[in-house]
Every structure is written in structure tokens, then in C-alpha cells.
Amino acid sequence: MTKNELIAAVADAASLTKAQAGAAVDATFDAIAATLKAGGDVKLVGFGAFSVTKRAAREGRDPRTGKPVQIKASNAPKFSAGKGLKDAVNS
């Protein structure tokens, strides 16, 4: 499903125009991203949880030359599916 398909599905399910549904979807994504950027977690009961994991600096290898390359530390978003989502996918 693409973002446009998600917006159309939300518009149909909530009896909204596509513009209103698009604004709602964008606002949801923006709120999740802002919370994660600030270091918080987003927990949606029955769906899942978004969090940020810290990746330490490490040494990798350039696949073309085989020479060592330093990879700097970073933060990575993480999603853990909740029981409701797992049950819905497996039923």
C-alpha cells in the first residue's frame, strides 16, 4: 500500500475528503517523527510501538576495496508490532 492508497482508505473509512484524510495522515506521521526525534516513544495499544535505538560507531569495510571504513554513531527508528497487529496478520 502506498501513501496515496492509505489516504484513500482512511478517507473511505472515516467519511472524509481525500484532502482531509491526507492532512490527518501527514499530521500523524509528523507527530510520530517529532516524538522520536525528541527521544520519546510512541505506543499505540493493540498496534505496536515506535522507538529509537542508538547505533554505536563501528568499523566497516568498503566492499570494492576491502579497506576499513569508519561508520559514525547514529539513531535508528524501530517498530515493534503489538499483539493485536500480530493476531490480525496471522488470522
Side-chain angles (χ1 to χ4, degrees):
M1 175 179 273
T2 65
K3 184 176 176 184
N4 286 333
E5 291 169 340
L6 176 63
I7 290 170
V10 169
D12 289 341
S15 299
L16 300 171
T17 66
K18 285 189 180 180
Q20 291 170 327
V25 169
D26 286 339
T28 302
F29 291 161
D30 290 344
I32 291 170
T35 301
L36 293 177
K37 185 176 181 180
D41 294 340
V42 177
K43 296 177 183 169
L44 305 171
V45 176
F47 183 75
F50 295 91
S51 61
V52 176
T53 59
K54 296 180 188 276
R55 290 187 178 165
R58 62 194 188 279
E59 185 176 281
R61 296 244 175 234
D62 184 336
R64 284 182 278 168
T65 63
K67 293 183 179 178
V69 176
Q70 288 298 320
I71 301 171
K72 58 184 176 177
S74 64
N75 294 324
K78 177 182 171 185
F79 176 75
S80 298
K83 184 177 182 333
L85 180 59
K86 288 179 186 177
D87 291 345
V89 170
N90 289 312
S91 63

